[in-house]
């Protein structure tokens, strides 16, 4: 017998169904949650050792899980790129895992998969890094593989040709990307093309085209030395085990005298503000970069700078993001940062803004840059300090996080105690400190302003603001003669 068909209308009218309807939800609260006081942060013990060949070892025992993260930091990056070979440091780092020891690129990938580990290589301005994540049971084999990549890369010609071709393609693609155009032009104008900070770590087409496999070998041979390196090991390993593992993998690594890096002259700071347009015809948005030369990582102003920048543009609730995104709806996001390097890195405020609001956005940027120079209200100062202190512990959640935090100290020769001093340092910052560093590093009357966008539509409006003289540059910061 067929089961009776139940009408959907009948079900809808059923008292049982009606009784199951959810209650009306309560209205959302418009009052933000109150930030609690930061709890004491106890960081894991960090132990230093040094191998006879000069390799520095930093070990952190974290025995909760049977995993270990290792980071080998070479104290050299693209600042050491020879003139005319810009991009060499990053290409060298990318080549390390394309063949090493007795394995080609495919065999390396298969071994990594077999061991169920992660191995990555890379380089930035002031360091090159090889990172490893492994279980404790495979750590010995994983470290031997890591050592092959660092000490015995083969730099196969075929893989070099492929990676160089991919780099050239990426550089070509940058020419159609407003944010990349603005980044390159801003750095070059602030520092000058001859300064390492004025160039991209990826290089330029002419430098990459002239690179050879021999250039890569030479860079590796010169800079990848144990007396120029730090090995960080964090996880389920004792100090004694770490020393044994490091000695077995890297004890035969030969030290050498390191080449000298020529000192680079920094372009003089702006005496006045100037607006530089990088033309991207028919662009739907304008890429803003405003700023100038900031501070080095070793600055005594580090903590006040962190507080000041967080208030200005270093968090989602910062002044720049609130004004340009939440209030004006000119952009999906705006912010600012200090790139703290061995020498004074740049201060940059940035946003990608709908093209029709380019002039309006610039006016708001200038208002906020001027406003941060005034005393920070006590409530805002307290909120920003609490935001930084409460969020700091997030950087130590995993073995990988801890290894990265330690590795980030290496290029600047900062003591390990730096990590434990953060919350107290932020706590000591006063409103007067913030106003002092804002007056020193945020200078609305002497800014480099780069805007990559549709010149035909944005130039007249930018000139009408009368904020600063306007000229046109290419994406490498060079002046463009226009009719």
């Amino acid at each position: 017998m067929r089961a009776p068909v139940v009408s959907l209308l009948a079900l809808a009218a059923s008292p049982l169904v009606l009784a199951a309807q959810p209650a009306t939800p309560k209205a959302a609260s418009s009052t933000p949650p109150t930030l609690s006081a930061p709890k004491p942060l106890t960081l894991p013990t960090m132990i230093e050792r040094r191998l006879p060949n000069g390799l520095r070892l930093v070990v952190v025992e974290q025995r909760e899980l049977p995993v270990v993260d290792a980071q080998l930091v070479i104290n050299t990056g693209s600042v050491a790129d020879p003139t005319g070979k810009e991009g060499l440091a990053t290409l060298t780092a990318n080549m390390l895992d394309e063949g090493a020891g007795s394995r080609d690129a495919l065999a390396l990938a298969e071994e990594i998969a077999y061991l169920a580990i992660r191995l990555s290589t890379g380089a930035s301005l002031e360091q090159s890094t090889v990172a490893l994540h492994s279980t404790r049971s495979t750590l010995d084999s994983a470290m031997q593989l890591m050592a092959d990549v660092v000490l015995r890369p083969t730099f196969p010609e075929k893989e070099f040709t492929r990676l160089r071709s991919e780099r050239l393609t990426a550089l070509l693609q940058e020419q159609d990307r407003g944010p990349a155009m603005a980044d390159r032009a801003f750095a070059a104008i602030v520092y000058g093309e001859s300064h390492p900070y004025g160039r991209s770590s990826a290089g330029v087409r002419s430098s990459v085209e002239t690179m050879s496999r021999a250039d890569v070998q030479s860079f590796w041979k010169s800079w990848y030395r144990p007396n120029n390196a730090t090995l960080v090991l964090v996880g389920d390993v004792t100090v004694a085990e770490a020393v044994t593992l490091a000695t077995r993998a890297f004890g035969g690594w030969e030290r050498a005298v390191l080449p000298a890096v020529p000192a680079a002259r920094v372009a003089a700071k702006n005496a006045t503000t100037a607006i530089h347009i990088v033309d991207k015809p028919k662009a739907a948005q304008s890429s803003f970069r405003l700023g100038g030369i900031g501070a080095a990582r070793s600055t005594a102003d580090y903590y006040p700078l962190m507080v000041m920048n967080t208030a200005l543009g270093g968090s989602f609730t910062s002044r720049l993001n609130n004004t340009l995104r939440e209030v004006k709806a000119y952009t999906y996001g705006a912010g600012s940062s200090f790139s703290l390097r061995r020498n004074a890195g740049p201060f940059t405020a940035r946003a990608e803004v709908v093209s029709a609001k380019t002039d309006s956005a610039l006016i708001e940027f200038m208002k906020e840059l001027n406003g941060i120079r005034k005393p920070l209200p006590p409530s805002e100062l307290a909120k920003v300090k609490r935001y930084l202190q409460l969020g700091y512990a997030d950087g130590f959640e995993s073995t990988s996080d801890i290894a990265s935090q330690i590795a980030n100290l290496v290029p600047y020769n900062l003591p390990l105690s730096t990590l434990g001093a953060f919350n107290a340092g932020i706590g000591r910052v006063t409103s007067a400190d913030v106003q002092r560093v804002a007056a020193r590093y945020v200078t609305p009357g002497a800014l480099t302003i780069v805007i990559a966008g549709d010149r035909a539509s944005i130039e007249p409006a930018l000139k009408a603001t009368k904020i600063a003289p306007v000229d046109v540059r290419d994406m490498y910061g060079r002046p463009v003669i226009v009719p």
Side-chain angles (χ1 to χ4, degrees), residues 145-159:
L145 192 65
M146 184 186 195
D148 273 349
V149 165
V150 176
L151 276 61
R152 292 173 285 277
T154 55
F155 304 119
E157 187 71 44
K158 181 180 71 171
E159 305 301 342

Side-chain angles (χ1 to χ4, degrees), residues 18-150:
L18 290 176
Q21 296 303 310
T24 303
K26 294 181 179 180
S29 173
S30 60
T31 304
T34 301
L35 294 176
S36 61
K39 296 180 181 179
L41 176 62
T42 302
L43 297 182
T45 302
M46 294 167 275
I47 305 296
E48 289 190 71
R49 294 288 187 268
R50 193 171 292 273
L51 300 190
N53 60 4
L55 178 64
R56 179 188 179 210
L57 185 63
V58 181
V59 184
V60 178
E61 293 188 34
Q62 289 285 92
R63 314 303 295 272
E64 290 85 356
L65 294 172
V67 297
V68 177
D69 273 87
Q71 288 202 27
L72 182 80
V73 181
I74 303 296
N75 224 9
T76 304
S78 60
V79 294
D81 285 344
T83 301
K85 301 291 183 180
E86 294 81 12
L88 182 57
T90 52
L91 191 58
T92 300
N94 292 341
M95 281 291 299
L96 292 176
D97 59 355
E98 296 296 332
S102 61
R103 303 176 182 88
D104 60 13
L106 182 58
L108 268 175
E110 289 176 344
E111 184 72 6
I112 289 169
Y114 174 76
L115 294 173
I117 63 176
R118 293 196 303 268
L119 182 69
S120 62
T121 64
S124 57
L125 274 170
E126 293 173 323
Q127 68 184 75
S128 302
T129 306
V130 179
L132 170 71
H133 176 82
S134 172
T135 61
R136 176 179 172 82
S137 62
T138 57
L139 182 58
D140 192 15
S141 298
M143 288 284 289
Q144 293 301 318
L145 192 65
M146 184 186 195
D148 273 349
V149 165
V150 176

Side-chain angles (χ1 to χ4, degrees), residues 185 188-189 193 204 206 277 472-481:
I189 294 169
E193 282 188 274
V204 294
S206 59
I277 295 175
V472 181
R473 302 292 181 103
D474 66 14
M475 68 178 288
Y476 304 104
R478 302 162 186 156
V480 174
I481 299 174

Side-chain angles (χ1 to χ4, degrees), residues 170-191:
L171 291 173
L172 183 63
Q173 291 170 338
E174 280 189 358
Q175 298 177 23
D176 193 42
R177 294 174 178 167
M181 296 167 70
D183 285 339
R184 277 188 177 266
F186 179 78
I189 294 169
V190 170
Y191 286 96

Side-chain angles (χ1 to χ4, degrees), residues 36-44 386 389-394 396 419-424:
S36 61
K39 296 180 181 179
L41 176 62
T42 302
L43 297 182
R386 196 62 54 84
Q389 292 172 321
L390 291 173
Y392 187 59
D394 287 349
F396 299 89
L419 297 178
F422 183 84
N423 278 351

Side-chain angles (χ1 to χ4, degrees), residues 205 209 378 408:
R205 184 172 188 85
E209 284 180 332
N408 288 339

